[in-house]
């Protein structure tokens, strides 16, 4: 079950329902977690309660820190309010917090005000927050006054906190059920024949509509033409020992014309878990002088996993998708008017850095127009309908590329204001600060424009303040902050993942799309490879969040997409070398790929002829313990 796209989440469940384990799994990937324990200790006379607390402690990783609030229930709100945006908090659980709140030692008190303070702290908490609470409202009404007071108070707390959270999940018998936000209902088919389906949250949903309202999807614009800049003849492909990677079945999902549903929880394919490690093991057997390929081994591992073979072939058919979508307002401060349009037109004409590098690499180039984003400091960048259309448009572009034989996609961008939009997405999804991820603005004369940089920071700051209580769902982030180019790029990553095709990233739009796509389908990031972060702070931070290590650190700044094309020949050379080199011969002349001999002697080969060889006469040296082996060598 995918629950990405949230910042505050409430996990409800009955006793022994698995709610705590599920909540812990949601934050397992966080670098550090602050575990907020609310329950008081049971004392020496309650061994069973002490055992429960001990079991919870044993499950927590050693990297987690623990903070207890049992002494003062009002302190929980203070802890949430003081949390930092880069923190992850797990509160377990609100039942223990209510127990302490109702304790006579903390009375008299205004419990209603305390609950309201907690709900407000949850709503405004800047950190990523998970809260666990028992769901006791489904049981019988307790027969004791104290029991009724507890269930009433806990019910009120659950309602207040659920209203303040972005998402709510109910765990029943270990199975999570999403309560908020509710999954959109599939749109009824408009044609008589049933359409294909896509797995969403483990359920087959008919793919006949993007939004949850019953309305046919708006028609998408025709795909832009694909140009092939003049380039030297491409080298012949290197044959691989096992070329099943290119012919392996792909997950063909419905494209835009059928009304594809793109929403959180899509189950897309993963790269091969075994081919990558097998390829790295194979590298150790090749006849290579020195220590081998070094960090470029990850290129071979990535290509092997995405092709499904331990002997991957170099990518011969590559397509560059240049996204041209501007961002209005302060995001584009310092960018000359018409600059992005000029670069896009130059690429169409086969001119400029990107087109020339594409020509040198034998890659095709497709300039993709994207919707212009409104000023994010004043309102949403796109409407919900524009986001859906952009996602489906990007998916279709990836589908068409793969259908034409493309083996690798490169995401490029040239829009005005892309860095600020990517910084806003990064801040909303990873808790970054705008000044820390926005690179300096450099004019055409090579001067640093601090005024423009401050205007971009202010635009991102105001946009985050405007959306501070908005949902962090993937589509909402694209609509409020991302814009058209990032939405189309997200669709490209999802479509490429569905068709088992790798994508090469190197700039802010690509990594921002990677952050958003993981909240729609967590498998997408495993099909992405980062060529070079170019020294861009947003790309460096996003790559850390996505778990992508740059293949090179040349600090190139040639424009998004151009850095990747600069590194592409090196990647191809590495794959060609790994596929063509023979195994390293062993010292005794045997193939390095043959099984290693053990100390256990092998039985002699059976033959019908007797062995008439004379034994080796003993020499002056020490007596040998291996006469059979000496005899074989002498013979």
């Amino acid at each position: 079950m995918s629950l990405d796209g949230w910042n505050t989440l409430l996990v409800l469940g009955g006793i022994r329902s698995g709610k705590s384990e599920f909540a812990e799994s949601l934050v397992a990937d966080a670098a550090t977690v602050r575990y907020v324990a609310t329950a008081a200790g049971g004392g020496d006379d309650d061994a069973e309660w002490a055992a429960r607390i001990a079991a919870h402690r044993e499950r927590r990783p050693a990297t987690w820190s623990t903070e207890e609030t049992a002494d003062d229930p009002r302190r929980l709100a203070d802890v949430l309010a003081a949390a930092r945006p880069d923190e992850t908090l797990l509160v377990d659980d609100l039942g223990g917090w209510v127990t302490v709140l109702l304790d006579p030692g903390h009375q008299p008190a205004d419990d209603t005000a305390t609950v309201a303070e907690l709900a407000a702290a949850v709503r405004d908490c800047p950190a990523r927050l998970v809260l666990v609470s028992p769901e006791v409202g489904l049981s019988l009404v307790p027969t004791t006054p104290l029991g009724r007071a507890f269930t009433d108070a806990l019910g009120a707390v659950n309602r207040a906190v659920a209203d303040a959270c972005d998402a709510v999940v109910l765990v029943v018998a270990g199975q999570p059920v999403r309560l908020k936000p509710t999954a959109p209902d599939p749109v009824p088919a408009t044609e008589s024949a049933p359409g294909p389906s896509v797995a969403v949250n483990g359920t087959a949903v008919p793919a006949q509509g993007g939004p949850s309202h019953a309305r046919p999807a708006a028609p998408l614009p025709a795909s832009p033409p694909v140009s092939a800049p003049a380039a030297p003849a491409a080298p012949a492909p290197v044959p691989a020992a096992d070329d099943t990677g290119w012919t392996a079945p792909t997950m063909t999902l419905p494209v835009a014309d059928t009304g594809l549903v793109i929403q959180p929880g899509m189950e897309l394919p993963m790269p091969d878990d075994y081919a990558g490690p097998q390829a790295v093991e194979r590298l150790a057997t090749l006849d290579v002088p020195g220590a081998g390929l070094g960090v470029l081994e990850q290129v071979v591992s990535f290509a092997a996993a995405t092709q499904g073979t331990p002997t991957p072939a170099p990518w011969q058919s590559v397509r560059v998708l240049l996204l041209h979508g501007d961002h209005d307002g302060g995001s584009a401060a310092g960018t000359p008017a018409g600059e992005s349009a000029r670069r896009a037109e130059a690429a169409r004409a086969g001119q400029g850095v990107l087109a020339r590098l594409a020509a040198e690499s034998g890659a095709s180039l497709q300039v993709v127009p994207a919707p212009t984003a409104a000023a994010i400091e004043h309102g949403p960048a796109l409407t919900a309908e524009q986001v859906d259309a952009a996602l489906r448009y990007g998916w279709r572009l990836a589908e068409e590329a793969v259908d034409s034989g493309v083996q690798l996609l490169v995401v490029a961008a040239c829009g005005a204001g892309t860095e600020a939009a990517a910084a806003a997405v990064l801040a909303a999804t990873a808790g970054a600060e705008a000044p820390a991820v926005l690179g300096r603005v450099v004019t055409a004369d090579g001067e640093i424009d601090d005024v423009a940089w401050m205007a971009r920071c202010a635009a991102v700051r105001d946009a985050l303040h405007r959306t501070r209580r908005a949902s962090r769902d993937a589509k909402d982030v694209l609509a409020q902050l991302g814009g058209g180019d990032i939405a189309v790029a997200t669709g490209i990553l999802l479509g490429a993942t569905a068709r088992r095709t790798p994508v090469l990233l190197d700039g802010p739009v690509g990594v921002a799309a990677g952050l958003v796509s993981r909240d729609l389908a967590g498998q997408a990031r495993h099909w992405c490879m980062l060529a070079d972060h170019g020294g861009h702070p947003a790309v460096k931070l996003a790559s850390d969040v996505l778990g992508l290590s740059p293949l090179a650190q040349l600090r190139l700044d040639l424009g998004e997409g151009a850095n990747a094309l600069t590194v592409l020949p090196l990647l191809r050379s590495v794959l060609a070398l790994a596929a063509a080199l023979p195994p390293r011969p062993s010292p005794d002349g045997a193939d390095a790929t043959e099984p290693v001999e053990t100390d256990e002697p092998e039985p002699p080969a059976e033959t019908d002829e007797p062995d008439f060889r004379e034994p080796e006469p003993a020499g002056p040296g020490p007596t040998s313990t291996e006469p059979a082996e000496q005899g074989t060598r002498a013979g």
Side-chain angles (χ1 to χ4, degrees):
M1 177 180 183
S2 176
L3 289 170
D4 292 326
W6 53 269
N7 191 65
T8 54
L9 186 144
L10 173 63
V11 180
L12 299 170
I15 299 173
R16 299 296 189 185
S17 62
K19 59 184 183 297
S20 293
E21 291 88 338
F22 176 74
E24 292 165 5
S25 70
L26 294 177
V27 299
D29 294 337
T32 58
V33 176
R34 184 146 53 113
Y35 185 97
V36 182
T38 61
D44 298 336
D45 57 342
D46 195 343
E48 189 272 338
W49 182 251
R52 285 175 179 253
I53 295 178
H56 278 254
R57 288 173 177 167
E58 292 176 358
R59 286 203 308 265
R60 301 173 206 162
T63 57
W64 290 15
S65 62
T66 302
E67 186 160 354
E68 298 182 353
T69 63
D71 294 337
D72 183 4
R74 294 169 185 80
R75 186 165 171 268
L76 178 57
D78 297 336
V79 171
L80 301 184
R84 300 188 307 273
D86 59 345
E87 283 189 295
T88 299
L89 271 62
L90 173 57
V91 179
D92 195 358
D93 68 1
L94 295 182
W97 182 80
V98 170
T99 301
V100 176
L101 180 65
L102 298 179
D103 188 280
H106 298 287
Q107 299 297 326
D110 189 348
D111 297 341
T112 303
T114 305
V115 173
E117 291 174 1
L118 175 62
V122 170
R123 183 176 290 106
D124 298 333
C125 182
R128 199 166 175 86
L129 173 64
V130 179
L131 304 106
V132 182
S133 184
E135 176 52 65
V136 297
L138 303 178
S139 182
L140 298 175
V141 176
T143 58
T144 63
L146 184 59
R148 290 191 293 270
F150 174 79
T151 54
D152 290 346
L154 183 58
V157 170
N158 286 346
R159 290 181 59 182
V161 173
D163 182 68
C165 285
D166 301 332
V168 180
V169 173
L170 174 65
V171 180
V172 181
Q175 306 302 312
V177 180
R178 184 170 60 182
L179 303 181
K180 175 188 177 182
T182 57
D185 297 329
V187 178
T190 57
E191 293 134 45
S192 56
S197 63
V198 57
V200 179
N201 291 338
T203 306
V205 177
Q208 285 119 356
S212 58
H213 43 79
R215 182 170 64 190
L220 298 181
S223 299
V226 179
S227 62
V238 178
D242 181 7
D243 60 357
T244 58
W246 301 126
T247 59
T250 60
M251 178 177 288
T252 305
L253 292 170
V255 292
D257 291 340
T258 64
L260 169 68
V261 175
I262 297 181
Q263 60 186 20
M266 294 197 302
E267 296 179 358
L268 301 182
M270 284 282 289
D272 194 310
D273 290 336
Y274 302 100
Q278 289 173 351
V280 174
E281 292 177 0
R282 178 179 171 275
L283 290 177
T285 68
L286 300 182
D287 190 11
V288 179
L293 299 178
V295 296
L296 293 179
E297 284 186 356
Q298 61 179 307
V299 179
V300 180
S301 176
F302 175 81
T306 53
Q307 296 180 25
T309 171
T311 54
W315 302 290
Q316 297 300 329
S317 181
V318 180
R319 177 167 298 177
V320 182
L321 297 171
L322 176 60
L323 306 178
H324 175 218
D326 290 338
H327 299 257
D328 291 340
S331 297
T335 304
E339 176 68 11
S340 64
R342 183 184 68 83
R343 294 197 178 277
E345 189 58 36
R348 289 191 185 94
Q351 302 172 356
V353 174
L354 189 69
R356 294 313 308 158
L357 288 174
E360 291 295 329
S361 302
S364 59
L365 177 62
Q366 188 174 19
V367 181
V368 180
T372 299
I376 58 176
E377 61 267 38
H378 301 309
L382 300 175
T383 65
E385 290 75 12
Q386 287 178 309
V387 170
D388 283 321
L391 288 171
R392 292 184 288 112
Y393 186 37
W395 187 300
R396 189 181 74 184
L397 292 173
E399 287 268 354
E400 291 174 350
V402 177
D403 289 340
S404 65
V406 170
Q407 300 166 344
L408 176 70
L409 292 173
V410 178
V411 174
C414 66
T418 56
E419 294 87 353
V425 171
L426 184 58
T429 56
E433 294 290 340
V437 294
L438 268 174
R440 309 306 292 267
V441 180
V442 182
T443 66
D445 299 330
E447 300 291 334
I448 295 178
D449 191 344
D450 285 334
V451 175
W453 178 80
M454 288 188 288
R456 295 184 183 186
C457 290
V460 176
R461 177 203 62 197
D462 293 345
L464 294 174
H465 181 76
R466 178 181 59 81
T467 61
R468 64 191 183 280
R469 297 185 179 179
S471 170
R472 292 308 188 212
D473 178 78
K475 288 187 178 181
D476 291 330
V477 170
L478 290 174
Q480 295 290 341
L481 305 171
D485 49 1
I486 298 179
V488 173
T490 302
I492 291 172
L493 297 187
L494 295 173
T497 300
R499 297 300 299 271
R500 301 178 183 272
T501 303
V503 182
L504 195 57
L505 308 176
D506 75 341
V509 170
V511 295
L515 290 172
V516 177
S517 65
R518 66 172 185 162
D519 292 341
L520 294 169
Q523 303 85 0
R525 68 182 181 89
H526 297 280
W527 295 88
C528 298
M529 183 168 56
L530 182 65
D532 186 357
H533 56 57
H536 198 291
V539 180
K540 294 172 67 175
L541 178 58
S543 63
D544 290 340
V545 176
L546 292 171
L548 302 177
S549 299
L551 303 176
Q553 297 190 31
L554 305 178
R555 302 187 70 85
L556 298 172
D557 192 11
L558 301 174
E560 184 160 3
N563 301 338
L565 290 178
T566 304
V567 178
L568 180 60
L570 174 62
L571 309 185
R572 282 172 162 168
S573 299
V574 168
L575 293 178
L577 191 66
L581 281 177
R584 179 178 60 255
S586 61
D588 58 359
D591 197 312
T593 59
E594 294 179 357
V596 180
E597 294 184 2
T598 64
D599 295 337
E600 189 70 21
E602 295 183 3
E606 296 183 1
T607 177
D608 295 335
E609 299 181 1
D611 187 0
F612 294 105
R613 289 175 298 179
E614 292 293 331
E616 183 79 18
T623 304
S624 172
T625 58
E626 299 175 343
E629 184 178 353
Q630 288 185 358
T632 302
R633 290 173 182 171

